[in-house]
Amino acid sequence: MNIKKAELVGTYFNAGQLPADVRPKILFFGRSNVGKSTLINSLLERRLAKTSSTPGKTLSVNYYGVSLAPVAAPRKEAMTPARGFPAPGIIFADLPGYGYARVSKGESVRVRRLIADFLARAENVRLAVLLIDSRRGFLASDLEVLAQIVEKNLPILTILTKSDKISFSQQRNLIAQLKNKFGLLAISFSIKSPPAKDEIWRRIQEAV
Ligand SMILES: Nc1nc2c(ncn2[C@@H]2O[C@H](COP(=O)(O)OP(=O)(O)OP(=O)(O)O)[C@@H](O)[C@H]2O)c(=O)[nH]1
Ligand SMILES: [Mg+2]
């Protein structure tokens, strides 16, 4: 993907702090430590989002502004040489990780409320990317968030992260289970597997 620019726009700890930003948004949901920030960095080819082996790293909503290189103009417009269309700006929203048992009760309530309030307020959301840890599978806290995404009628892309940690047949079983139980079409991803990255970018571009 030809990314012209990617930068942190802002960090928000409650929905009241969210800016009025009409750019198309791609949201990244998932349990703490599932690999949201790692996936964002991988897609943006930059170390923008902080990652950590300790769960509970991202406890805020972080907006990353992304400008993609202009797409070539179709032939009819090609009279003006090599201009293309202006680069569309989009927002990647890294949401706080949920379901981490070791944060305080108050903090976990705050995170859940932030996710719910965020979903109620965010404008121009184009895609909800729901990350599931391959080794842990789909848990009750994922179902709770999935229900909120479904209620908002958002298109969903499900990604099984850390697929390097499980066997190919285990991946296949989990993908089948998500499809049969919840109608989710999942893609396996690992920081070590570039083909999945192209597929994820394709789905993001389709959504935008
Ligand atoms: N083996 C492997 N490790 C991964 C992969 N993706 C992420 N990790 C590791 O998992 C840990 C958590 O990754 P993060 O990206 O910080 O997870 P997060 O979902 O942003 O976590 P929170 O911010 O706490 O919600 C880090 O140690 C990463 O290096 C992967 O595909 N394979
Ligand atoms: Mg994170």
Side-chain angles (χ1 to χ4, degrees), residues 28-41 47 49-60 62 94-98 100 131 133 135 160-165 189-193:
F28 293 80
F29 294 92
R31 287 169 57 81
S32 220
N33 200 245
V34 69
K36 297 174 293 298
S37 301
T38 302
L39 174 64
I40 288 174
N41 286 340
R47 294 190 122 263
K50 288 191 188 112
T51 62
S52 166
S53 54
T54 325
K57 184 69 192 172
T58 316
L59 289 171
S60 50
N62 291 310
D94 190 0
L95 283 135
Y98 51 80
Y100 176 41
L131 281 70
D133 190 323
R135 292 170 307 178
L160 301 177
T161 62
K162 310 188 186 183
S163 60
D164 52 291
K165 298 274 194 187
F189 174 81
S190 154
I191 12 179
K192 299 165 190 169
S193 99

Side-chain angles (χ1 to χ4, degrees), residues 66-80:
V66 183
S67 307
L68 302 175
V71 276
R75 209 167 276 183
K76 248 188 14 212
E77 308 283 332
M79 303 300 284
T80 27

